[in-house]
Amino acid sequence: MRLFNTLALLPVLAVLIARPLCAQVTFGPSGAEGEPFRRQQWRVPSTDPEIAAHALLFRPAGAGPFRLAVIAHASTQNVLRRAQMPQPEYRALTAHLVARGFAVLVPERLGHGATGGRYVEDQGGCDEADYARAGRATAEEISLALDHLRKQEFIRRDAAVVIGHSAGGWGALALASADPEAISAIIAFAPGRGGHANDEPNRICAPHTLLAAAAAFGKGARVPVTWLVAANDSYFAPKFSQSLADAFRGSGGKVDFRVLPAVGSEGHWMIELEAGVNAASRELERALNLQKPVATRKP
């Protein structure tokens, strides 16, 4: 019976993750502005030249140019959960940023939701997880979306901010070696991969491999990172998150690590809640107002 149920799901999964059928890939706005905050559907580049990633753009009133904030969403190794993911919005965080003059882009990545396509950031099995490769693949997706928006007339070319959540935060850490003239700050909410192994709280797949990858991301890092974790995060608990941040810092990365109060029933999702954004507001203000660091040459 279990084999029959699995086979019955295969056609459904094939539809959910199939490559979108389109004659031509186009980027830019794909709908009218709406509420709140001039909410607008966009299509942005992905690492697959035949797939335009779905995205939401929010911005303040006026013509700009605005500083850009890109929010990188969480992920999962579960193919069905990825395919069924609703388009991420991070409403409370978006409202916080738009109120401070930012245009906010929330792009989907390949293998998720309506964008579909191949899951390029697959970390592999639990024992042989390749967290460094997965993080760099996520970073490339974030970077393509960010670079496309930086070419728009209403966006400033400098001082963008990347805010990542969980796997999106892990990808943001991999971007810390980017040009600090283009990205002035990275804010990572509970960054990591492999948490809740086998859906068990406080269990992480191959934690030593994750620590080694964090150290690898710290090498040559030039963009300052604000690393935030809630006290009740059961994916990457504060003690383990501190170890990850120390590994990143020990290889040369600049990190401001903060443990925030418990939020909701599971702190890992604090970034999606108004209470979580309020709890992080002081750290957000500090990171958003960082003086632009002087560009340095990679070692």
Side-chain angles (χ1 to χ4, degrees):
M1 181 62 71
R2 183 175 297 176
L3 177 60
F4 176 80
N5 290 338
T6 301
L7 291 174
L9 276 174
L10 290 178
V12 177
L13 290 174
V15 171
L16 289 171
I17 66 175
R19 185 186 303 274
L21 296 175
C22 54
Q24 183 178 4
V25 177
T26 57
F27 306 124
S30 61
E33 294 180 11
E35 295 296 333
F37 313 119
R38 302 174 66 181
R39 181 184 189 275
Q40 189 175 33
Q41 293 279 347
W42 272 61
R43 300 292 183 269
V44 296
S46 75
T47 54
D48 186 330
E50 297 184 20
I51 296 180
H54 291 233
L56 287 174
L57 178 68
F58 305 84
R59 43 186 153 158
F66 309 109
R67 283 183 71 187
L68 176 64
V70 177
I71 303 176
H73 61 75
S75 186
T76 173
Q77 285 291 106
N78 186 293
V79 62
L80 190 57
R81 291 178 189 170
R82 279 201 316 273
Q84 294 176 335
M85 281 178 62
Q87 190 162 17
E89 295 194 35
Y90 294 97
R91 295 181 183 181
L93 180 58
T94 292
H96 184 93
L97 293 165
V98 172
R100 285 152 182 79
F102 282 83
V104 182
L105 182 74
V106 191
E108 280 185 345
R109 300 192 299 277
L110 284 176
H112 298 82
T115 296
R118 186 171 69 89
Y119 186 46
V120 296
E121 56 196 273
D122 186 359
Q123 68 199 35
C126 190
D127 293 334
E128 67 277 6
D130 189 341
Y131 294 124
R133 191 211 62 78
R136 292 186 179 107
T138 304
E140 188 174 2
E141 295 279 314
I142 298 170
S143 184
L144 285 171
L146 184 149
D147 288 346
H148 181 73
L149 261 292
R150 287 179 64 235
K151 296 174 184 176
Q152 310 306 312
E153 292 184 356
F154 58 88
I155 296 294
R156 282 174 49 177
R157 302 291 192 271
D158 67 332
V161 175
V162 175
I163 303 175
H165 174 210
S166 193
W170 187 247
L173 294 180
L175 271 178
S177 60
D179 180 1
E181 291 290 328
I183 300 175
S184 64
I186 289 170
I187 304 171
F189 282 81
R193 294 193 70 106
H196 270 217
N198 296 324
D199 287 330
E200 294 182 24
N202 297 305
R203 185 182 175 199
I204 300 171
C205 281
H208 295 296
T209 304
L210 198 64
L211 287 164
F217 293 159
K219 293 180 180 178
R222 301 185 293 168
V223 179
V225 173
T226 298
W227 192 310
L228 306 175
V229 61
N232 62 329
D233 190 314
S234 69
Y235 285 73
F236 307 105
K239 184 177 180 179
F240 183 75
S241 291
Q242 177 75 70
S243 298
L244 285 174
D246 289 345
F248 182 86
R249 183 187 294 111
S251 293
K254 183 178 180 181
V255 180
D256 182 10
F257 178 81
R258 305 277 173 157
V259 178
L260 302 177
V263 177
S265 60
E266 172 52 70
H268 192 68
W269 309 109
M270 67 175 298
I271 189 177
E272 298 182 350
L273 304 174
E274 184 174 359
V277 174
N278 289 339
S281 60
R282 183 179 300 179
E283 284 70 26
L284 286 169
E285 293 305 308
R286 185 183 295 112
L288 295 175
N289 291 311
L290 280 173
Q291 291 187 344
K292 189 166 56 179
V294 177
T296 56
R297 183 174 297 175
K298 291 184 181 180

